[in-house]
Amino acid sequence: QEEAQAIDQELFTEYKFSVDQLMELAGLSCATAIAKAYPPSSFTTSQPAVLVVCGPGNNGGDGLVCARHLKMFGYQPAVYYPKRPSKPLFEGLTTQCEKMDIPFLPEFPTEPAFIDELYGVVVDAIFGFSFKGAVREPFGSILSTLEHVTVPIASIDIPSGWDVEKGKADGLQPDMLISLTAPKKAAMHFTGRYHFLGGRFVPPALQEKYALNLPTYPGTDCVLQLT
Amino acid sequence: LPQAFPLPSLPRKQPTVLVVCGPAQNGAIGLVCARHLRIFDYEPTIFYPKRSPDPLYRDFTTQCEKMDIPFLSYLPTEVQLINDAYNAVVDAVLGAEAEVGEGREPCAAILATLKHIRIPIVSLDVPSGWDAESGSSGGISPDVLVSLAAPKECARRFVGRQHFVAGRFLPYDVQKKFELNAPEYPGTECVVAL
Protein backbone atom coordinates (compact mmCIF):
# COMPACT_ATOMS: atom_id res chain seq x y z
CA GLN A 1 0.00 0.00 0.00
CA GLU A 2 2.82 2.37 0.88
CA GLU A 3 4.61 1.70 -2.39
CA ALA A 4 1.47 2.40 -4.39
CA GLN A 5 1.07 5.66 -2.51
CA ALA A 6 4.75 6.54 -3.10
CA ILE A 7 4.42 5.97 -6.84
CA ASP A 8 1.31 8.13 -6.93
CA GLN A 9 3.12 10.88 -5.03
CA GLU A 10 6.00 10.85 -7.49
CA LEU A 11 3.68 11.01 -10.46
CA PHE A 12 2.05 14.10 -9.01
CA THR A 13 4.99 15.95 -7.48
CA GLU A 14 7.94 15.02 -9.73
CA TYR A 15 6.25 14.34 -13.04
CA LYS A 16 3.57 16.98 -12.55
CA PHE A 17 0.72 14.80 -13.71
CA SER A 18 -2.64 16.13 -12.64
CA VAL A 19 -5.15 13.93 -10.84
CA ASP A 20 -7.52 14.63 -13.75
CA GLN A 21 -5.07 13.23 -16.30
CA LEU A 22 -4.39 9.98 -14.47
CA MET A 23 -8.00 9.51 -13.42
CA GLU A 24 -9.13 9.87 -17.03
CA LEU A 25 -6.62 7.27 -18.23
CA ALA A 26 -7.52 4.96 -15.32
CA GLY A 27 -11.27 5.22 -15.93
CA LEU A 28 -10.79 4.67 -19.65
CA SER A 29 -8.78 1.51 -18.91
CA CYS A 30 -11.56 0.20 -16.70
CA ALA A 31 -14.22 0.78 -19.35
CA THR A 32 -12.02 -0.84 -21.98
CA ALA A 33 -11.36 -3.92 -19.85
CA ILE A 34 -15.05 -4.30 -19.06
CA ALA A 35 -15.92 -3.99 -22.75
CA LYS A 36 -13.42 -6.71 -23.62
CA ALA A 37 -14.66 -9.18 -21.00
CA TYR A 38 -18.38 -8.38 -21.17
CA PRO A 39 -19.18 -7.14 -24.71
CA PRO A 40 -22.67 -5.67 -25.20
CA SER A 41 -23.70 -8.76 -27.18
CA SER A 42 -23.09 -10.96 -24.12
CA PHE A 43 -25.78 -9.30 -21.99
CA THR A 44 -29.03 -11.17 -21.30
CA THR A 45 -30.82 -7.98 -20.22
CA SER A 46 -32.60 -6.17 -23.07
CA GLN A 47 -30.11 -3.30 -22.95
CA PRO A 48 -26.44 -3.60 -22.00
CA ALA A 49 -27.18 -2.01 -18.63
CA VAL A 50 -24.34 -1.56 -16.15
CA LEU A 51 -24.59 -0.37 -12.54
CA VAL A 52 -21.61 1.72 -11.42
CA VAL A 53 -21.32 2.14 -7.64
CA CYS A 54 -19.05 5.07 -6.77
CA GLY A 55 -17.45 5.61 -3.39
CA PRO A 56 -16.45 8.85 -1.69
CA GLY A 57 -12.88 9.19 -2.99
CA ASN A 58 -10.69 8.75 -6.03
CA ASN A 59 -11.91 5.21 -6.70
CA GLY A 60 -15.37 6.74 -7.10
CA GLY A 61 -13.90 9.29 -9.49
CA ASP A 62 -12.40 6.45 -11.55
CA GLY A 63 -15.93 4.98 -11.60
CA LEU A 64 -17.44 8.20 -12.96
CA VAL A 65 -14.89 8.32 -15.78
CA CYS A 66 -15.50 4.62 -16.46
CA ALA A 67 -19.27 5.19 -16.66
CA ARG A 68 -18.81 7.97 -19.21
CA HIS A 69 -16.61 5.83 -21.46
CA LEU A 70 -18.96 2.86 -21.11
CA LYS A 71 -21.66 5.15 -22.49
CA MET A 72 -19.43 6.07 -25.43
CA PHE A 73 -18.84 2.34 -26.02
CA GLY A 74 -22.59 1.72 -26.33
CA TYR A 75 -23.50 0.55 -22.82
CA GLN A 76 -26.31 1.97 -20.68
CA PRO A 77 -24.61 2.82 -17.40
CA ALA A 78 -26.43 3.99 -14.28
CA VAL A 79 -24.50 5.46 -11.37
CA TYR A 80 -25.10 5.29 -7.62
CA TYR A 81 -23.05 8.02 -5.96
CA PRO A 82 -24.23 8.62 -2.38
CA LYS A 83 -21.25 10.52 -0.93
CA ARG A 84 -19.92 13.21 -3.25
CA PRO A 85 -16.82 15.28 -2.41
CA SER A 86 -17.43 18.97 -3.03
CA LYS A 87 -14.35 19.39 -5.17
CA PRO A 88 -14.37 20.73 -8.75
CA LEU A 89 -12.85 17.51 -10.11
CA PHE A 90 -15.73 15.33 -8.89
CA GLU A 91 -18.37 17.93 -9.62
CA GLY A 92 -17.06 18.17 -13.18
CA LEU A 93 -17.06 14.40 -13.66
CA THR A 94 -20.62 14.20 -12.31
CA THR A 95 -21.81 16.93 -14.68
CA GLN A 96 -20.15 15.21 -17.63
CA CYS A 97 -22.10 12.03 -16.83
CA GLU A 98 -25.38 13.88 -16.23
CA LYS A 99 -25.04 15.77 -19.49
CA MET A 100 -24.56 12.47 -21.27
CA ASP A 101 -27.89 11.24 -19.91
CA ILE A 102 -26.34 8.80 -17.48
CA PRO A 103 -28.91 8.46 -14.67
CA PHE A 104 -27.86 8.86 -11.05
CA LEU A 105 -30.01 6.56 -8.91
CA PRO A 106 -31.64 8.23 -5.90
CA GLU A 107 -31.54 4.98 -3.93
CA PHE A 108 -29.52 1.81 -3.91
CA PRO A 109 -31.54 -1.28 -4.91
CA THR A 110 -32.50 -2.99 -1.65
CA GLU A 111 -32.41 -6.55 -2.94
CA PRO A 112 -29.63 -8.33 -4.82
CA ALA A 113 -32.33 -9.83 -7.04
CA PHE A 114 -33.32 -6.35 -8.29
CA ILE A 115 -29.74 -5.72 -9.37
CA ASP A 116 -29.53 -9.12 -11.08
CA GLU A 117 -32.71 -8.38 -13.03
CA LEU A 118 -31.85 -4.88 -14.21
CA TYR A 119 -28.12 -5.00 -14.86
CA GLY A 120 -25.70 -7.30 -16.63
CA VAL A 121 -22.57 -6.09 -14.83
CA VAL A 122 -21.87 -4.12 -11.65
CA VAL A 123 -18.78 -1.91 -11.41
CA ASP A 124 -17.38 -1.66 -7.88
CA ALA A 125 -15.76 1.76 -7.67
CA ILE A 126 -16.24 2.16 -3.92
CA PHE A 127 -12.85 1.89 -2.24
CA GLY A 128 -9.38 1.89 -3.68
CA PHE A 129 -5.83 1.32 -2.56
CA SER A 130 -5.92 4.07 0.08
CA PHE A 131 -8.67 2.30 2.02
CA LYS A 132 -7.92 1.72 5.67
CA GLY A 133 -10.00 0.83 8.69
CA ALA A 134 -13.73 0.37 9.04
CA VAL A 135 -16.31 0.63 6.29
CA ARG A 136 -18.65 3.57 6.92
CA GLU A 137 -22.31 3.60 5.98
CA PRO A 138 -23.95 3.50 3.50
CA PHE A 139 -21.18 1.41 2.05
CA GLY A 140 -21.42 -1.41 4.59
CA SER A 141 -25.00 -2.17 3.53
CA ILE A 142 -24.14 -1.70 -0.13
CA LEU A 143 -21.31 -4.20 0.09
CA SER A 144 -23.55 -6.69 1.94
CA THR A 145 -26.05 -6.48 -0.92
CA LEU A 146 -23.32 -6.77 -3.57
CA GLU A 147 -21.94 -9.88 -1.89
CA HIS A 148 -25.21 -11.64 -2.80
CA VAL A 149 -25.52 -10.39 -6.36
CA THR A 150 -25.09 -13.09 -9.03
CA VAL A 151 -24.24 -10.90 -12.06
CA PRO A 152 -20.51 -10.28 -12.56
CA ILE A 153 -18.87 -7.59 -10.47
CA ALA A 154 -15.84 -5.72 -11.83
CA SER A 155 -13.77 -4.11 -9.10
CA ILE A 156 -11.58 -1.11 -9.77
CA ASP A 157 -8.08 -1.62 -8.32
CA ILE A 158 -9.07 -3.34 -5.06
CA PRO A 159 -12.26 -5.30 -4.33
CA SER A 160 -14.00 -2.90 -1.97
CA GLY A 161 -13.88 -3.80 1.69
CA TRP A 162 -10.74 -5.90 1.25
CA ASP A 163 -7.60 -5.22 3.20
CA VAL A 164 -5.32 -3.71 0.56
CA GLU A 165 -2.60 -6.27 1.24
CA LYS A 166 -4.30 -9.29 2.82
CA GLY A 167 -7.66 -9.45 1.06
CA LYS A 168 -10.89 -10.56 2.72
CA ALA A 169 -11.95 -14.15 2.44
CA ASP A 170 -15.55 -13.48 3.52
CA GLY A 171 -15.89 -10.25 1.55
CA LEU A 172 -16.80 -9.33 -2.01
CA GLN A 173 -15.65 -11.91 -4.57
CA PRO A 174 -15.66 -10.05 -7.88
CA ASP A 175 -15.52 -11.75 -11.28
CA MET A 176 -13.12 -9.12 -12.62
CA LEU A 177 -10.34 -7.06 -11.12
CA ILE A 178 -8.80 -4.14 -12.96
CA SER A 179 -5.48 -3.40 -11.28
CA LEU A 180 -4.38 0.17 -11.91
CA THR A 181 -0.72 0.97 -12.53
CA ALA A 182 0.44 -2.33 -11.01
CA PRO A 183 -1.32 -5.16 -9.17
CA LYS A 184 -1.56 -4.65 -5.43
CA LYS A 185 -0.71 -7.36 -2.89
CA ALA A 186 -4.42 -8.07 -2.41
CA ALA A 187 -4.57 -9.26 -6.03
CA MET A 188 -2.89 -12.47 -4.92
CA HIS A 189 -6.18 -13.37 -3.20
CA PHE A 190 -8.29 -12.65 -6.27
CA THR A 191 -10.14 -15.72 -7.49
CA GLY A 192 -12.36 -14.25 -10.23
CA ARG A 193 -12.18 -15.02 -13.95
CA TYR A 194 -10.66 -11.84 -15.33
CA HIS A 195 -7.66 -9.89 -14.08
CA PHE A 196 -6.71 -6.90 -16.21
CA LEU A 197 -3.96 -4.35 -15.81
CA GLY A 198 -4.82 -0.74 -16.64
CA GLY A 199 -3.45 2.77 -16.19
CA ARG A 200 -0.80 2.65 -18.88
CA PHE A 201 0.96 5.83 -17.87
CA VAL A 202 3.85 4.82 -15.66
CA PRO A 203 7.07 6.25 -17.12
CA PRO A 204 9.74 3.58 -17.77
CA ALA A 205 12.10 5.20 -15.25
CA LEU A 206 9.51 4.89 -12.49
CA GLN A 207 8.80 1.27 -13.39
CA GLU A 208 12.49 0.55 -12.95
CA LYS A 209 12.85 2.51 -9.73
CA TYR A 210 10.11 0.51 -8.05
CA ALA A 211 10.98 -2.74 -9.83
CA LEU A 212 7.40 -3.11 -10.99
CA ASN A 213 8.28 -5.77 -13.59
CA LEU A 214 5.13 -5.01 -15.53
CA PRO A 215 4.43 -7.26 -18.50
CA THR A 216 4.27 -5.63 -21.93
CA TYR A 217 1.00 -4.15 -23.05
CA PRO A 218 -0.08 -5.28 -26.52
CA GLY A 219 0.48 -2.59 -29.16
CA THR A 220 -1.28 0.63 -28.26
CA ASP A 221 -3.87 -1.01 -25.99
CA CYS A 222 -4.52 0.69 -22.69
CA VAL A 223 -5.28 -2.61 -20.94
CA LEU A 224 -3.50 -5.92 -20.60
CA GLN A 225 -5.29 -9.13 -19.72
CA LEU A 226 -3.30 -10.93 -17.03
CA THR A 227 -5.73 -13.86 -16.61
CA LEU B 1 0.67 7.09 -35.61
CA PRO B 2 1.29 3.41 -34.75
CA GLN B 3 -1.62 2.50 -37.04
CA ALA B 4 -0.11 4.41 -39.95
CA PHE B 5 3.51 3.57 -39.10
CA PRO B 6 3.68 0.39 -37.02
CA LEU B 7 6.98 -0.21 -35.21
CA PRO B 8 8.08 -3.20 -37.35
CA SER B 9 7.52 -1.20 -40.55
CA LEU B 10 9.81 1.73 -39.76
CA PRO B 11 12.74 2.17 -42.15
CA ARG B 12 15.28 3.48 -39.62
CA LYS B 13 16.96 1.26 -37.06
CA GLN B 14 15.55 3.30 -34.17
CA PRO B 15 11.84 4.15 -34.01
CA THR B 16 12.53 7.91 -33.97
CA VAL B 17 9.78 10.45 -34.51
CA LEU B 18 10.13 14.24 -34.49
CA VAL B 19 7.22 16.06 -32.87
CA VAL B 20 7.07 19.75 -33.78
CA CYS B 21 4.92 21.69 -31.31
CA GLY B 22 3.48 25.13 -31.83
CA PRO B 23 2.77 27.71 -29.12
CA ALA B 24 -0.93 26.99 -28.51
CA GLN B 25 -3.35 24.11 -28.01
CA ASN B 26 -2.26 22.14 -31.07
CA GLY B 27 1.28 22.15 -29.69
CA ALA B 28 0.06 20.98 -26.29
CA ILE B 29 -1.73 18.08 -27.96
CA GLY B 30 1.62 17.31 -29.60
CA LEU B 31 3.27 17.14 -26.15
CA VAL B 32 0.67 14.65 -24.90
CA CYS B 33 1.06 12.69 -28.13
CA ALA B 34 4.85 12.53 -27.67
CA ARG B 35 4.45 11.16 -24.12
CA HIS B 36 2.15 8.37 -25.28
CA LEU B 37 4.45 7.57 -28.22
CA ARG B 38 7.19 7.05 -25.65
CA ILE B 39 4.95 4.65 -23.69
CA PHE B 40 4.27 2.85 -26.99
CA ASP B 41 8.07 2.33 -27.33
CA TYR B 42 8.71 4.93 -30.04
CA GLU B 43 11.60 7.37 -29.56
CA PRO B 44 10.08 10.82 -29.86
CA THR B 45 12.09 14.04 -29.95
CA ILE B 46 10.30 17.34 -29.48
CA PHE B 47 10.92 20.73 -31.04
CA TYR B 48 8.97 23.30 -28.99
CA PRO B 49 10.48 26.71 -29.62
CA LYS B 50 7.72 28.97 -28.30
CA ARG B 51 6.44 27.63 -25.00
CA SER B 52 3.04 28.49 -23.67
CA PRO B 53 2.85 30.01 -20.16
CA ASP B 54 -0.33 28.01 -19.48
CA PRO B 55 0.35 25.92 -16.32
CA LEU B 56 -1.37 22.87 -17.80
CA TYR B 57 0.86 22.99 -20.89
CA ARG B 58 3.94 23.64 -18.73
CA ASP B 59 3.11 20.44 -16.82
CA PHE B 60 2.84 18.54 -20.11
CA THR B 61 6.36 19.74 -20.87
CA THR B 62 7.64 18.56 -17.48
CA GLN B 63 6.02 15.16 -17.97
CA CYS B 64 7.87 14.78 -21.29
CA GLU B 65 11.19 15.99 -19.86
CA LYS B 66 10.93 13.61 -16.91
CA MET B 67 10.32 10.78 -19.36
CA ASP B 68 13.66 11.55 -20.98
CA ILE B 69 12.14 12.83 -24.20
CA PRO B 70 14.76 15.17 -25.69
CA PHE B 71 13.84 18.73 -26.63
CA LEU B 72 15.77 20.14 -29.60
CA SER B 73 17.14 23.64 -29.15
CA TYR B 74 16.82 24.40 -32.85
CA LEU B 75 15.32 22.86 -35.95
CA PRO B 76 17.91 22.07 -38.60
CA THR B 77 17.26 24.05 -41.77
CA GLU B 78 19.18 21.39 -43.67
CA VAL B 79 16.24 19.06 -44.39
CA GLN B 80 18.48 16.09 -45.13
CA LEU B 81 19.41 16.03 -41.43
CA ILE B 82 15.75 15.60 -40.54
CA ASN B 83 15.16 13.02 -43.28
CA ASP B 84 18.09 10.97 -42.01
CA ALA B 85 17.35 11.13 -38.30
CA TYR B 86 13.62 10.44 -38.10
CA ASN B 87 11.04 8.06 -39.51
CA ALA B 88 8.20 10.56 -39.46
CA VAL B 89 7.33 14.06 -38.28
CA VAL B 90 4.27 14.92 -36.21
CA ASP B 91 3.03 18.37 -37.19
CA ALA B 92 1.48 19.85 -34.04
CA VAL B 93 2.32 23.42 -34.95
CA LEU B 94 -0.99 25.11 -35.70
CA GLY B 95 -4.55 23.94 -35.32
CA ALA B 96 -7.97 25.17 -36.27
CA GLU B 97 -7.68 27.99 -33.77
CA ALA B 98 -4.95 29.84 -35.67
CA GLU B 99 -6.25 33.11 -37.02
CA VAL B 100 -5.42 33.90 -40.61
CA GLY B 101 -2.25 35.94 -40.64
CA GLU B 102 -1.93 36.36 -36.89
CA GLY B 103 0.39 34.10 -34.85
CA ARG B 104 1.56 32.37 -38.01
CA GLU B 105 4.78 34.31 -38.48
CA PRO B 106 6.95 32.70 -35.80
CA CYS B 107 5.96 29.35 -37.24
CA ALA B 108 6.56 30.34 -40.84
CA ALA B 109 10.23 29.32 -40.78
CA ILE B 110 9.35 25.90 -39.32
CA LEU B 111 6.69 25.35 -41.94
CA ALA B 112 9.08 26.40 -44.70
CA THR B 113 11.49 23.66 -43.57
CA LEU B 114 8.72 21.06 -43.19
CA LYS B 115 7.53 21.72 -46.73
CA HIS B 116 10.78 20.28 -48.04
CA ILE B 117 11.23 17.15 -45.98
CA ARG B 118 10.86 13.78 -47.63
CA ILE B 119 9.77 11.67 -44.65
CA PRO B 120 6.04 11.34 -43.88
CA ILE B 121 4.26 14.09 -41.97
CA VAL B 122 1.34 13.37 -39.63
CA SER B 123 -0.71 16.53 -39.07
CA LEU B 124 -2.82 16.97 -35.97
CA ASP B 125 -6.30 18.26 -36.75
CA VAL B 126 -5.37 20.76 -39.46
CA PRO B 127 -2.23 20.70 -41.63
CA SER B 128 -0.33 23.63 -40.15
CA GLY B 129 -0.41 26.71 -42.27
CA TRP B 130 -3.62 25.66 -44.00
CA ASP B 131 -6.67 27.84 -43.55
CA ALA B 132 -9.03 25.70 -41.43
CA GLU B 133 -11.83 26.19 -43.93
CA SER B 134 -10.46 26.71 -47.38
CA GLY B 135 -7.29 24.66 -47.21
CA SER B 136 -3.86 25.23 -48.48
CA SER B 137 -2.17 26.86 -51.37
CA GLY B 138 1.41 25.71 -51.39
CA GLY B 139 1.53 24.76 -47.74
CA ILE B 140 2.74 21.48 -46.26
CA SER B 141 1.43 18.25 -47.69
CA PRO B 142 0.94 15.74 -44.91
CA ASP B 143 0.90 12.02 -45.52
CA VAL B 144 -1.51 11.40 -42.68
CA LEU B 145 -4.19 13.64 -41.18
CA VAL B 146 -5.63 13.01 -37.73
CA SER B 147 -8.83 15.01 -37.40
CA LEU B 148 -9.70 15.68 -33.77
CA ALA B 149 -13.29 15.09 -32.71
CA ALA B 150 -14.54 15.62 -36.28
CA PRO B 151 -12.98 16.52 -39.63
CA LYS B 152 -12.59 20.25 -40.32
CA GLU B 153 -13.70 21.89 -43.58
CA CYS B 154 -10.17 21.94 -44.95
CA ALA B 155 -9.94 18.15 -44.65
CA ARG B 156 -11.78 17.96 -47.96
CA ARG B 157 -8.59 19.14 -49.60
CA PHE B 158 -6.42 16.55 -47.91
CA VAL B 159 -4.81 14.33 -50.53
CA GLY B 160 -2.47 12.28 -48.37
CA ARG B 161 -2.46 8.55 -47.74
CA GLN B 162 -4.53 8.15 -44.58
CA HIS B 163 -7.16 10.15 -42.77
CA PHE B 164 -8.06 9.24 -39.20
CA VAL B 165 -10.54 10.69 -36.75
CA ALA B 166 -9.50 10.59 -33.11
CA GLY B 167 -10.72 12.08 -29.85
CA ARG B 168 -13.60 9.83 -28.93
CA PHE B 169 -15.22 12.06 -26.35
CA LEU B 170 -18.07 13.92 -28.02
CA PRO B 171 -21.40 13.27 -26.29
CA TYR B 172 -24.15 12.20 -28.69
CA ASP B 173 -26.21 15.33 -28.20
CA VAL B 174 -23.26 17.54 -29.12
CA GLN B 175 -22.72 15.45 -32.26
CA LYS B 176 -26.40 15.80 -33.17
CA LYS B 177 -26.61 19.48 -32.33
CA PHE B 178 -23.74 20.38 -34.61
CA GLU B 179 -24.62 17.75 -37.23
CA LEU B 180 -21.14 16.37 -37.05
CA ASN B 181 -21.75 13.00 -38.74
CA ALA B 182 -18.95 11.60 -36.67
CA PRO B 183 -17.92 8.11 -37.79
CA GLU B 184 -18.53 4.97 -35.75
CA TYR B 185 -15.53 3.91 -33.76
CA PRO B 186 -14.87 0.17 -33.79
CA GLY B 187 -15.23 -1.50 -30.36
CA THR B 188 -13.21 0.35 -27.75
CA GLU B 189 -10.83 2.05 -30.21
CA CYS B 190 -10.17 5.74 -29.85
CA VAL B 191 -9.10 6.14 -33.48
CA VAL B 192 -11.00 5.32 -36.66
CA ALA B 193 -9.60 5.29 -40.21
CA LEU B 194 -11.80 7.07 -42.74
Side-chain angles (χ1 to χ4, degrees):
Chain A
Q1 183 176 44
E2 277 168 23
E3 218 175 48
Q5 285 169 332
I7 293 173
D8 243 31
Q9 268 310 108
E10 249 189 86
L11 287 171
F12 295 134
T13 54
E14 298 290 316
Y15 285 78
K16 301 286 188 208
F17 279 104
S18 68
V19 177
D20 304 57
Q21 279 179 278
L22 301 189
M23 194 170 278
E24 188 68 23
L25 292 172
L28 174 60
S29 305
C30 294
T32 305
I34 290 165
K36 284 188 191 274
Y38 311 108
S41 52
S42 71
F43 280 57
T44 51
T45 48
S46 58
Q47 298 288 358
V50 178
L51 176 61
V52 184
V53 189
C54 296
N58 285 355
N59 204 254
D62 293 338
L64 293 175
V65 175
C66 175
R68 173 165 38 84
H69 285 284
L70 284 175
K71 183 80 190 219
M72 295 298 307
F73 293 159
Y75 292 83
Q76 302 277 32
V79 176
Y80 184 61
Y81 193 26
K83 293 271 182 236
R84 307 181 186 190
S86 45
K87 285 190 201 157
L89 168 63
F90 299 99
E91 288 165 358
L93 292 176
T94 305
T95 304
Q96 290 151 30
C97 286
E98 287 171 337
K99 297 285 288 178
M100 285 182 65
D101 295 321
I102 296 172
F104 280 70
L105 304 181
E107 272 170 12
F108 194 69
T110 46
E111 300 291 335
F114 296 160
I115 296 176
D116 289 338
E117 208 177 287
L118 294 171
Y119 306 102
V121 172
V122 176
V123 179
D124 156 31
I126 301 174
F127 299 124
F129 74 86
S130 308
F131 173 66
K132 259 190 187 127
V135 175
R136 297 220 204 107
E137 282 306 302
F139 300 108
S141 325
I142 291 174
L143 286 174
S144 299
T145 306
L146 290 182
E147 280 159 25
H148 295 101
V149 150
T150 59
V151 292
I153 296 179
S155 286
I156 299 184
D157 212 23
I158 305 278
S160 297
W162 284 28
D163 178 283
V164 172
E165 306 209 331
K166 304 189 202 134
K168 186 173 195 245
D170 62 342
L172 203 63
Q173 298 300 332
D175 193 43
M176 170 187 264
L177 176 64
I178 304 134
S179 291
L180 296 174
T181 310
K184 313 300 175 295
K185 279 211 177 108
M188 293 197 294
H189 303 277
F190 172 68
T191 56
R193 281 186 300 165
Y194 300 106
H195 186 190
F196 278 81
L197 182 64
R200 185 178 181 180
F201 46 66
V202 187
L206 215 53
Q207 289 186 41
E208 264 182 54
K209 179 172 176 179
Y210 288 91
L212 293 180
N213 295 318
L214 296 178
T216 315
Y217 282 82
T220 58
D221 285 7
C222 64
V223 295
L224 166 64
Q225 186 163 2
L226 297 171
T227 63
Chain B
L1 193 135
Q3 283 197 31
F5 305 105
L7 281 170
S9 76
L10 299 180
R12 313 240 158 279
K13 235 170 54 176
Q14 306 288 25
T16 52
V17 176
L18 176 64
V19 184
V20 186
C21 299
Q25 189 180 348
N26 203 257
I29 296 172
L31 295 175
V32 176
C33 170
R35 170 164 44 85
H36 285 281
L37 284 175
R38 177 78 179 86
I39 296 257
F40 294 157
D41 289 329
Y42 287 76
E43 287 180 19
T45 296
I46 296 173
F47 180 56
Y48 188 31
K50 212 172 160 227
R51 304 199 178 184
S52 169
D54 184 312
L56 173 66
Y57 300 171
R58 287 225 303 257
D59 285 346
F60 291 161
T61 306
T62 305
Q63 291 153 25
C64 286
E65 287 170 339
K66 294 285 294 183
M67 286 183 63
D68 298 317
I69 298 173
F71 281 69
L72 296 180
S73 43
Y74 67 94
L75 186 70
T77 43
E78 181 58 62
V79 288
Q80 201 49 42
L81 293 174
I82 300 176
N83 292 339
D84 287 343
Y86 305 104
N87 293 277
V89 175
V90 175
D91 156 33
V93 182
L94 295 170
E97 81 282 356
E99 297 280 314
V100 178
E102 179 202 299
R104 295 248 206 107
E105 266 320 307
C107 306
I110 298 175
L111 295 180
T113 304
L114 291 185
K115 251 170 67 173
H116 295 103
I117 64 169
R118 297 279 191 91
I119 54 177
I121 296 179
V122 178
S123 283
L124 299 190
D125 209 24
V126 170
S128 296
W130 285 32
D131 179 278
E133 308 224 327
S134 59
S136 137
S137 51
I140 61 169
S141 245
D143 204 45
V144 176
L145 176 63
V146 183
S147 294
L148 299 175
K152 310 301 174 291
E153 260 307 303
C154 65
R156 293 173 200 274
R157 305 201 181 220
F158 170 68
V159 293
R161 200 163 52 92
Q162 280 184 286
H163 185 189
F164 294 94
V165 178
R168 186 178 182 177
F169 48 69
L170 288 182
Y172 298 127
D173 57 352
V174 170
Q175 292 181 38
K176 273 205 333 247
K177 178 175 177 181
F178 293 95
E179 289 171 9
L180 288 178
N181 299 317
E184 289 250 341
Y185 285 84
T188 58
E189 298 290 308
C190 62
V191 174
V192 53
L194 290 185

